[in-house]
């Protein structure tokens, strides 16, 4: 008896890829002819998407350890280890030598980065939209080290409310796999100003974005959040550098990762606070 499961599986994956590509084409075409959705509408859709766990795709996007993409491999653990190594290299370039007493992780997800960074801190502040994700991150940190974890829940439309809840300044501000998910590039300025206000003088931020290559396919999508959340917001590299400067952060270095196991067109910015 012959099995047709492998061929069927391959055909299914190809069909899904074609469907996603077609959806992306439709949404970008609509944006190109001026049918953008408002930032408020996209923020509402984003809030609804992230608020509650909803299947394996959601778990993968939130970087929970038990998502299928992280099973039978060490990818989940490597995310944090590689980002920690990247931060340590960037800290040397930026002349950052102060202790990491307080770390703020904006968009902490299920803890892939927290488990690597928290052991180096006296307090770890995790910021996220989902209360379930904050609990998952706290559980992962507690299983790794004794560093106190402070969860801070936010609403997409009011990220500035986190300032009062976080309170004291931080030495390190981290944000991985977040800026590509925010409603618009303009919204990113609000997050950069939050980072600038939270960082103590001499502090260092490491913020990852997706960069716009100049191709039609890599421009900000600006509509259809659920079907294209990871393509929602991008920036030209120079434009993000200049935006960070206007928000009170001094760019020290940027590292580009054209492609890795998760996605492509990543840029990591090291931003210091004078």
């Amino acid at each position: 008896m012959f099995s047709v499961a492998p061929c069927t599986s391959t055909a299914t994956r190809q069909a899904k890829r074609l469907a996603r590509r077609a959806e992306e084409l439709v949404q970008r075409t609509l944006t190109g002819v001026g049918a953008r959705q408002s930032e408020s509408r996209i923020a509402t859709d984003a809030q609804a998407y992230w608020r509650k766990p909803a299947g394996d795709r959601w778990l993968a996007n939130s970087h929970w350890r038990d998502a299928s993409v992280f099973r039978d491999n060490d990818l989940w653990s490597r995310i944090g280890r590689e980002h920690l190594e990247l931060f340590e290299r960037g800290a040397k370039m930026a002349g950052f030598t102060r202790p990491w007493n307080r770390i703020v992780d904006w968009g902490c997800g299920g803890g892939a980065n927290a488990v690597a960074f928290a052991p180096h801190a006296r307090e770890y502040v995790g910021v996220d939209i989902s209360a379930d994700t904050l609990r998952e991150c706290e559980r992962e940190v507690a299983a790794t080290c004794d560093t106190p974890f402070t969860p801070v829940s936010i609403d997409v439309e009011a990220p500035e409310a986190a300032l009062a809840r976080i309170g004291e300044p931080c030495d390190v501000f981290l944000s991985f796999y977040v800026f590509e998910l925010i409603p618009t590039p303009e919204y990113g300025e609000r997050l950069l100003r939050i980072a600038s206000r939270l960082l103590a003088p001499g502090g260092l931020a490491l913020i990852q974005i997706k960069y716009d290559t100049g191709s039609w396919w890599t421009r900000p999508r600006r509509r259809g959040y659920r079907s294209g959340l990871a393509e929602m917001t991008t920036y030209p590299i120079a434009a993000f550098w200049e935006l960070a400067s206007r928000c009170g952060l001094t760019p020290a270095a940027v590292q580009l990762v054209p492609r890795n196991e998760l996605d492509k067109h990543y840029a990591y910015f090291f931003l210091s606070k004078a």
Side-chain angles (χ1 to χ4, degrees), residues 3-274:
S3 173
V4 297
C7 293
T8 302
S9 178
T10 299
T12 299
R13 287 196 299 270
Q14 290 175 340
K16 288 181 178 179
R17 282 196 296 268
L18 288 173
R20 286 194 298 267
R21 191 68 167 177
E23 170 68 13
E24 183 73 5
L25 176 61
V26 169
Q27 296 295 345
R28 289 190 176 276
T29 300
L30 289 170
T31 298
V33 299
R36 297 178 177 180
Q37 292 176 331
S38 69
E39 182 176 291
S40 178
R41 162 65 189 279
I42 299 172
T44 298
D45 290 346
Q47 181 79 16
Y49 178 81
W50 294 110
R51 180 59 77 184
K52 286 289 186 180
D56 186 64
R57 179 173 178 261
W58 188 97
L59 293 175
N61 288 331
S62 300
H63 288 179
W64 284 41
R65 186 194 290 268
D66 59 355
S68 62
V69 69
F70 301 124
R71 293 176 196 153
D72 303 319
N73 59 59
D74 66 344
L75 179 57
W76 191 88
S77 298
R78 279 194 289 114
I79 288 173
R81 290 200 307 269
E82 291 175 3
H83 283 157
L84 177 61
E85 292 168 2
L86 176 63
F87 182 85
E88 291 173 335
R89 294 196 301 271
K92 291 179 181 178
M93 289 188 290
F96 177 75
T97 58
R98 67 187 294 155
W100 308 1
N101 290 330
R102 200 163 195 247
I103 296 178
V104 171
D105 184 351
W106 194 278
C108 61
N113 292 293
V115 296
F117 282 86
H120 299 272
R122 293 184 181 177
E123 181 187 6
Y124 202 88
V125 180
V127 181
D128 210 280
I129 298 167
S130 166
D132 294 275
T133 290
L134 286 169
R135 285 191 289 269
E136 175 69 6
C137 188
E138 184 171 19
R139 186 186 67 78
E140 291 287 359
V141 169
T144 302
C145 64
D146 295 327
T147 301
F149 179 88
T150 301
V152 175
S153 178
I154 60 167
D155 291 332
V156 178
E157 293 198 39
E160 293 83 2
L163 288 166
R165 298 190 61 191
I166 294 172
E168 298 177 6
C170 64
D171 304 289
V172 174
F173 182 95
L174 305 172
S175 188
F176 301 112
Y177 309 121
V178 171
F179 273 69
E180 67 219 54
L181 308 173
I182 61 178
T184 66
E186 293 78 16
Y187 184 98
E189 180 172 348
R190 297 167 66 183
L191 299 189
L192 286 170
R193 294 194 181 279
I194 289 170
S196 181
R197 290 180 62 181
L198 286 173
L199 275 174
L204 184 65
L206 175 52
I207 295 176
Q208 171 264 324
I209 67 165
K210 273 191 175 177
Y211 60 86
D212 181 350
T213 67
S215 162
W216 185 75
W217 289 99
T218 63
R219 295 173 186 171
R221 182 163 147 158
R222 295 183 179 270
R223 61 173 295 114
Y225 191 86
R226 280 183 175 270
S227 64
L229 51 93
E231 288 77 40
M232 194 55 50
T233 291
T234 60
Y235 298 87
I237 293 165
F240 192 80
W241 184 287
E242 293 167 359
L243 177 61
S245 298
R246 293 198 299 273
C247 292
L249 298 168
T250 301
V254 58
Q255 177 161 322
L256 305 186
V257 179
R259 182 183 293 273
N260 64 18
E261 291 172 83
L262 291 174
D263 211 332
K264 56 187 177 181
H265 303 146
Y266 289 141
Y268 293 82
F269 283 82
F270 294 91
L271 308 167
S272 60
K273 175 74 175 290

